[in-house]
Amino acid sequence: MSATTRWSRADVVVCAALVAVAAAALPTGVGANHRTVAAPSLPLAVAALVPSLTAQGGAEMTVLGLSIYDGWYWGDGHIWAPERTYLIDLHYHRSLTGVRIAERSVAEIEAIGRGSPSQRLRWGEAMRRIFPDVTKGDRITGVHLPAGVVRFFFNGAPIGDIADAEFARAFFGIWLDPKTSRADFRRQLLGESP
């Protein structure tokens, strides 16, 4: 078409329809690369510990197109209140060492600006002692209890506690802090509308 060619009304309608179809096919949110996933039931030991919590949202975590895990936030509402009882439930899609999970957790905690270097070192050591190696299908659940205690479960069995309110806020902040590196994942965990 030349610069002087005028579009007919039909051309404009067809073009608008094509743009709408293309826009609908794009993921929502900046950098979104997660699918929303329905929450499975909590393991019996976890459900007995926090019977009043409900799944608020969930999504698939991917890195460079690789599916790492599905995650869910269980709480008493679609907001994160760090002092309340809530949990994050992760279902792994690939094998990872517990050491690698702990190291990545410390890096994410540092990225959101939580803890001093000595605290992060101490927290990393505690997580390395607690976190097991995971394979596809394994599940790690972290429950935030009153007074800043974090209780971890592996496939429904308790594997350790960390009683440190600053650690609790930093650890769950990996996914729930507004400064998280994965804002789209946070939004889906909290069940927020796009």
Side-chain angles (χ1 to χ4, degrees), residues 10 25 27 38 63 67 76-77 80 88 101 110 124 135 143 145 147 158-159 167 185-186 188:
V63 175
S67 181
D76 58 7
W80 177 46
I88 294 285
I101 295 169
E110 183 176 11
T135 59
V143 181
L145 297 168
I159 55 173
F167 167 77
F185 190 71
R186 175 186 187 269
Q188 289 178 288

Side-chain angles (χ1 to χ4, degrees), residues 26-37 56-65 69 71 73 108 173-194:
L26 294 173
T28 58
V30 176
N33 59 349
H34 309 286
R35 64 178 171 83
T36 301
V37 288
Q56 302 301 316
E60 176 186 28
M61 173 62 75
T62 60
V63 175
L64 300 174
Y69 54 73
Y73 170 69
E108 291 292 331
I174 293 169
W175 301 275
L176 301 172
D177 190 287
K179 294 183 281 186
T180 180
S181 64
R182 305 303 288 264
D184 51 338
F185 190 71
R186 175 186 187 269
R187 179 186 54 76
Q188 289 178 288
L189 287 180
L190 294 174
E192 296 175 350
S193 300

Side-chain angles (χ1 to χ4, degrees), residues 10-21:
D11 291 334
V12 171
V13 169
V14 168
C15 184
L18 290 172
V19 169
V21 168

Side-chain angles (χ1 to χ4, degrees), residues 87-161:
L87 66 86
I88 294 285
D89 188 30
L90 304 178
H91 293 230
Y92 288 86
H93 295 171
R94 58 191 337 93
S95 297
L96 296 168
T97 66
V99 168
R100 179 69 183 122
I101 295 169
E103 289 171 350
R104 184 66 188 170
S105 297
V106 169
E108 291 292 331
I109 287 169
E110 183 176 11
I112 61 172
R114 292 282 173 190
S116 67
S118 63
Q119 285 176 307
R120 290 191 299 269
L121 180 65
R122 189 173 66 248
W123 297 340
E125 290 169 357
M127 288 186 284
R128 279 190 290 280
R129 284 192 301 272
I130 292 173
F131 293 160
D133 296 346
V134 298
T135 59
K136 184 176 181 177
D138 283 334
R139 175 184 209 171
I140 294 180
T141 309
V143 181
H144 178 266
L145 297 168
V149 174
V150 181
R151 181 161 299 153
F152 292 102
F153 293 81
F154 178 61
N155 295 329
I159 55 173
D161 290 7

